[in-house]
Short mmCIF file of all heavy atoms in Angstrom, two decimals:
data_model
loop_
_atom_site.label_atom_id
_atom_site.label_comp_id
_atom_site.label_asym_id
_atom_site.label_seq_id
_atom_site.Cartn_x
_atom_site.Cartn_y
_atom_site.Cartn_z
N MET U 181 -16.55 -6.67 25.54
CA MET U 181 -17.15 -6.21 26.80
C MET U 181 -16.91 -7.24 27.91
O MET U 181 -16.64 -6.88 29.06
CB MET U 181 -18.66 -6.00 26.64
CG MET U 181 -19.04 -4.72 25.93
SD MET U 181 -18.97 -3.28 27.03
CE MET U 181 -20.66 -3.26 27.65
N LEU U 182 -17.01 -8.54 27.56
CA LEU U 182 -16.78 -9.57 28.59
C LEU U 182 -15.37 -9.47 29.16
O LEU U 182 -15.14 -9.76 30.33
CB LEU U 182 -17.01 -10.98 28.02
CG LEU U 182 -18.43 -11.34 27.56
CD1 LEU U 182 -18.47 -12.80 27.09
CD2 LEU U 182 -19.45 -11.12 28.67
N THR U 183 -14.41 -9.07 28.28
CA THR U 183 -13.03 -8.96 28.78
C THR U 183 -12.85 -7.73 29.67
O THR U 183 -11.84 -7.61 30.36
CB THR U 183 -11.99 -8.91 27.63
OG1 THR U 183 -12.09 -7.64 26.96
CG2 THR U 183 -12.17 -10.04 26.64
N ASN U 184 -13.79 -6.79 29.60
CA ASN U 184 -13.66 -5.55 30.38
C ASN U 184 -14.57 -5.49 31.62
O ASN U 184 -14.23 -4.85 32.60
CB ASN U 184 -14.01 -4.33 29.50
CG ASN U 184 -13.07 -4.17 28.32
OD1 ASN U 184 -13.51 -4.06 27.18
ND2 ASN U 184 -11.78 -4.18 28.56
N LEU U 185 -15.73 -6.15 31.55
CA LEU U 185 -16.75 -5.92 32.58
C LEU U 185 -16.30 -6.35 33.97
O LEU U 185 -16.65 -5.71 34.96
CB LEU U 185 -18.05 -6.63 32.20
CG LEU U 185 -18.88 -5.85 31.18
CD1 LEU U 185 -19.88 -6.75 30.47
CD2 LEU U 185 -19.60 -4.68 31.87
N ALA U 186 -15.53 -7.44 34.05
CA ALA U 186 -15.04 -7.83 35.38
C ALA U 186 -13.67 -7.19 35.66
O ALA U 186 -13.52 -6.46 36.65
CB ALA U 186 -15.00 -9.35 35.50
N PRO U 187 -12.66 -7.41 34.80
CA PRO U 187 -11.32 -6.94 35.16
C PRO U 187 -11.19 -5.42 35.30
O PRO U 187 -10.50 -4.95 36.21
CB PRO U 187 -10.44 -7.42 34.00
CG PRO U 187 -11.22 -8.48 33.33
CD PRO U 187 -12.66 -8.17 33.55
N ASN U 188 -11.85 -4.66 34.42
CA ASN U 188 -11.61 -3.21 34.46
C ASN U 188 -12.08 -2.59 35.78
O ASN U 188 -11.27 -1.97 36.49
CB ASN U 188 -12.23 -2.52 33.24
CG ASN U 188 -11.46 -2.83 31.95
OD1 ASN U 188 -10.91 -3.91 31.80
ND2 ASN U 188 -11.41 -1.89 31.03
N PRO U 189 -13.37 -2.73 36.16
CA PRO U 189 -13.75 -2.12 37.44
C PRO U 189 -13.06 -2.77 38.65
O PRO U 189 -12.73 -2.08 39.61
CB PRO U 189 -15.27 -2.31 37.50
CG PRO U 189 -15.62 -3.28 36.45
CD PRO U 189 -14.53 -3.28 35.43
N ILE U 190 -12.82 -4.08 38.57
CA ILE U 190 -12.24 -4.74 39.76
C ILE U 190 -10.78 -4.29 39.96
O ILE U 190 -10.36 -4.01 41.09
CB ILE U 190 -12.37 -6.28 39.64
CG1 ILE U 190 -13.85 -6.67 39.83
CG2 ILE U 190 -11.49 -7.00 40.67
CD1 ILE U 190 -14.17 -8.14 39.60
N THR U 191 -10.02 -4.16 38.88
CA THR U 191 -8.63 -3.67 39.06
C THR U 191 -8.65 -2.21 39.51
O THR U 191 -7.85 -1.81 40.36
CB THR U 191 -7.80 -3.81 37.76
OG1 THR U 191 -8.51 -3.15 36.69
CG2 THR U 191 -7.53 -5.25 37.40
N ALA U 192 -9.59 -1.43 38.96
CA ALA U 192 -9.64 -0.01 39.34
C ALA U 192 -10.06 0.15 40.80
O ALA U 192 -9.51 0.99 41.52
CB ALA U 192 -10.61 0.74 38.41
N LEU U 193 -11.00 -0.66 41.25
CA LEU U 193 -11.49 -0.52 42.63
C LEU U 193 -10.47 -1.04 43.64
O LEU U 193 -10.31 -0.47 44.72
CB LEU U 193 -12.82 -1.28 42.80
CG LEU U 193 -14.03 -0.62 42.13
CD1 LEU U 193 -15.19 -1.60 42.00
CD2 LEU U 193 -14.47 0.62 42.93
N THR U 194 -9.79 -2.14 43.28
CA THR U 194 -8.85 -2.74 44.25
C THR U 194 -7.45 -2.15 44.12
O THR U 194 -6.59 -2.44 44.96
CB THR U 194 -8.74 -4.27 44.03
OG1 THR U 194 -8.30 -4.50 42.67
CG2 THR U 194 -10.07 -4.98 44.27
#
Side-chain angles (χ1 to χ4, degrees):
M181 282 280 269
L182 295 183
T183 71
N184 298 128
L185 280 160
N188 289 33
I190 289 174
T191 54
L193 287 164
T194 59

